[in-house]
Amino acid sequence: MAENVFIPCLEGIQHVKCEQGDMLTKPFLDLSKLILPILDKFGAAMMVVKSDISGNIARLESKYDSNPSRFKYLYSLVQDEVEIKTAKSSSSCTNGLLWLTRAMDFLVQLFHNLVDHQDWSMSQVCNDSYSKTLKKWHGWLASSSFMVAIKLAPDRKKFMEVLGHEGDIQGDMLKFCTNFSPILAQIHKFLASVGLDNMKAS
């Protein structure tokens, strides 16, 4: 029986910070990649989110690969762009990190809703998660596309079944939310400290 999809993510979270507490670029991006298979379980409903996350991971990874020792720490990708005044560009790594973090906020909220609201349908779970996270940053077009995609979400029972059967899925899901949320909050705090946490989609 395949392990449940949250087990590799829980393992990955443990490697995101170095002993001093600084966020490491490669482990953070590797963790983000581990979340992609979970999105596959949603089918067409999460294609837009998956494509967005994949694109932002690739952008950050490309910059990291250009100089792994210089960009060992996640925030160095942003600090580099702040210094040369390219951080606000739509193609910047800063923008990529911001939207990657926001997409993860959405997923954490979604998993929380699945655990906390056992009586909610999948569309209720998705809509509530979207309105609490991404919606305020999206323009009309992005918001409309998202609402259409959410309608394609699988039935809740079916979705929970495809997540895997090994161990305590709901417990692991909640543990993932609990452990990942502070990492996301820390990234937002850093981006806010350099005035870059409130960029909106055009």
Side-chain angles (χ1 to χ4, degrees), residues 108-120:
V108 165
Q109 183 63 52
L110 189 151
F111 299 139
H112 251 307
N113 281 349
L114 279 169
V115 175
D116 295 343
H117 302 283
Q118 302 284 336
D119 55 329
W120 282 11

Side-chain angles (χ1 to χ4, degrees), residues 47-175:
M47 289 295 279
V48 178
V49 180
K50 187 186 176 188
S51 156
D52 199 44
I53 289 173
S54 301
N56 287 323
I57 291 172
R59 187 190 301 183
L60 294 164
E61 203 162 41
S62 169
K63 177 102 174 211
Y64 168 77
D65 287 341
S66 72
N67 195 333
S69 58
R70 184 180 174 190
F71 298 121
K72 180 181 178 181
Y73 298 106
L74 190 61
Y75 300 158
S76 62
L77 295 167
V78 175
Q79 285 155 340
D80 183 63
E81 291 179 340
V82 169
E83 280 169 29
I84 56 173
K85 299 189 165 39
T86 58
K88 289 188 177 178
S89 156
S90 60
S91 59
S92 70
C93 283
T94 303
N95 198 292
L97 178 61
L98 176 62
W99 284 102
L100 176 58
T101 307
R102 286 174 177 170
M104 295 302 173
D105 289 336
F106 164 71
L107 293 173
V108 165
Q109 183 63 52
L110 189 151
F111 299 139
H112 251 307
N113 281 349
L114 279 169
V115 175
D116 295 343
H117 302 283
Q118 302 284 336
D119 55 329
W120 282 11
S121 68
M122 203 55 166
S123 62
Q124 276 179 289
V125 164
C126 293
N127 279 315
D128 181 80
S129 308
Y130 180 65
S131 66
K132 283 179 179 164
T133 56
L134 289 169
K135 191 176 183 180
K136 64 182 168 189
W137 305 114
H138 275 173
W140 180 82
L141 192 63
S143 195
S144 303
S145 308
F146 207 90
M147 298 315 281
V148 169
I150 282 173
K151 288 185 170 68
L152 302 170
D155 169 73
R156 180 192 176 111
K157 186 168 180 285
K158 200 176 289 180
F159 176 71
M160 293 305 289
E161 281 170 4
V162 296
L163 283 180
H165 299 279
E166 193 178 290
D168 172 14
I169 280 275
Q170 299 234 10
D172 288 340
M173 197 186 282
L174 194 56
K175 199 184 293 179

